[in-house]
Amino acid sequence: MKTIIEPFKVKVVEPIKMTSRDEREGYLIEAAYNLFLLKAENVIIDLLTDSGTAAMSAEQWSALMRGDESYAGSKSFYRFEEVVRDIFGFKQVIPMHQGRAAERILFSVMCAKGSIVPNNTHFDTTRANVEYLGAEAVDLPIPEFYQPAVNHPFKGNMDAEALEHLIKRVGSRRIPLVMLTVTNNSGGGQPVSMANIRAVEAICSRYGIPLYLDACRFAENAYFIKLREEGYADKSVKEIAREMFAYADGCTMSAKKDGLANIGGFLCTNDDQLAQQEKDLLILTEGFPTYGGLAGRDLEAIAVGLGEVLHEDYLQYRFASIRYLGEHIANAGVPIVQPPGGHAIYIDARAMLSHIPALQYPGQALAVELYREAGIRSCEIGSVMHAEKDAESGEEIPAAMDLVRLAIPHRAYTQSHIDYVIEAILKVHERRELIAGYRIISQPKFLRHFTACFATVDALSNADTPRSSHGEQVLLQH
Ligand SMILES: Cc1ncc(COP(=O)(O)O)c(C=O)c1O
């Protein structure tokens, strides 16, 4: 059969509330044009993230009932630990309530002020956790990464030469660890090849620097290797995943992605001493090392999810569905990051809305417009999320790209939902020249995209000043 179907059927349904364009206009003003501040019930198709939004399987729901909620030494922990060890292969498995908790504890133990952490590309929380400690997060992707239209089978690769150059320039003592994010979320959900993992590992071991994988989407990365890298077509996704982790000294994991769970994560290492320090911190802020901020039932759901995500019929359907979305909009002229990623399609908003300057946030403008048009929530990954400040002038420097990510939650939407998304994007694309840019009127110090308030550049009259969800007007910050 040529048609690739969802390899599951629906047992429980969750109604979607349909909204009118006028209603959505009101919700946008209430949320100060920040889609993170919308109420989820007012979203028709939620492509904000694939994180924690998976539909759990019947097996996962059954496993919840097995959850052992003992404070210490719960059976659920030992089942979870066994599954994680079997796939990831690390000696020490430390549960966490989500990925960023693993990042915070790992960096707190390994980094100090002045440390440098290279990564193919840091995800926003990863960068923020490095910088919070006074360390520097350095992105070293290959040059193709910054060229959305360029096709490359492993566009998530790290520039290994640049890594070696950096180590030689700053000295290995300032680099407590190197990270590889698989897949590379910040610019297209693009995979890292096994050859690249090997090359980075060889450099790390030459200089005595530990290598960690940010493993959130390890199964998608492994499936890309199977499809695209010579010598892997006949290996199972699990075998490929094991090989990926065999080159690393540890990993951080958000089980909200390829754990197919709604919450959870873990930190792994082969270093017992380091693990002890990490567990000490864990007890301080997350919980006892056999639950790490999670309920026993969450550990059970993750253990089952980690097995299910490795099923190849599941990965085949997931990639086909995401490719379908990407190809349909690209064929109609919408610029996207090529090739389609493993968990999302990324629209090149800077190219699509070329009349909007980068510091009027074309990604934000496009994301708002998709919501206004059809109630679709997406995520800006561009100058709102990643802009930097010029050290001398203090002026904002735009991010390298302005993208809008349409992340597909695992197992949650069907083909007709995807067709609805395609129709909406094409409508917005047709009237793209009429879309205005945005400016930020208030923002927090860290991770501003989550809570910043916006107004359109041509709409700063009193009537258009955004209100918070409590109705009061949001004050301009200077
Ligand atoms: C690549 C990557 N690393 C880390 C994280 C953080 O994980 P969490 O949201 O579970 O804290 C994310 C979340 O989206 C991610 O995509």
Side-chain angles (χ1 to χ4, degrees), residues 49-51 97-101 103 123-126 181-186 214 216-217 252-257 264 343 405:
T49 178
D50 58 329
S51 179
H97 82 270
Q98 64 182 90
R100 69 199 69 183
E103 291 164 359
F123 185 64
D124 61 351
T125 60
T126 326
T181 304
V182 294
T183 59
N184 194 343
N185 182 14
S186 298
D214 176 339
C216 298
R217 299 181 179 85
T252 55
M253 173 74 184
S254 167
K256 298 172 72 175
K257 285 84 169 174
H343 68 293
R405 186 185 69 178

Side-chain angles (χ1 to χ4, degrees), residues 44-55:
I44 295 177
I45 306 279
D46 206 343
L47 306 185
L48 183 67
T49 178
D50 58 329
S51 179
T53 52

Side-chain angles (χ1 to χ4, degrees), residues 118 158 163 167 172 175 177-180 197-212 247 249:
M158 178 178 268
L163 173 66
I167 299 171
S172 58
I175 304 182
L177 76 162
V178 170
M179 286 197 92
L180 273 176
I197 299 176
R198 242 182 261 127
V200 169
E201 190 272 335
I203 294 171
C204 287
S205 48
R206 206 172 314 139
Y207 292 93
I209 304 171
L211 171 64
Y212 274 68
Y247 297 118
D249 297 282

Side-chain angles (χ1 to χ4, degrees), residues 125-151:
T125 60
T126 326
R127 169 176 294 278
N129 273 298
V130 169
E131 290 175 351
Y132 189 70
L133 292 162
E136 192 185 337
V138 177
D139 291 341
L140 298 174
I142 54 171
E144 290 86 347
F145 178 81
Y146 292 118
Q147 299 160 7
V150 170
N151 237 301

Side-chain angles (χ1 to χ4, degrees), residues 388-405:
E388 288 180 20
K389 282 245 180 315
D390 182 83
E392 277 170 27
S393 67
E395 275 177 28
E396 200 169 306
I397 307 167
M401 296 183 281
D402 280 294
L403 306 175
V404 167
R405 186 185 69 178

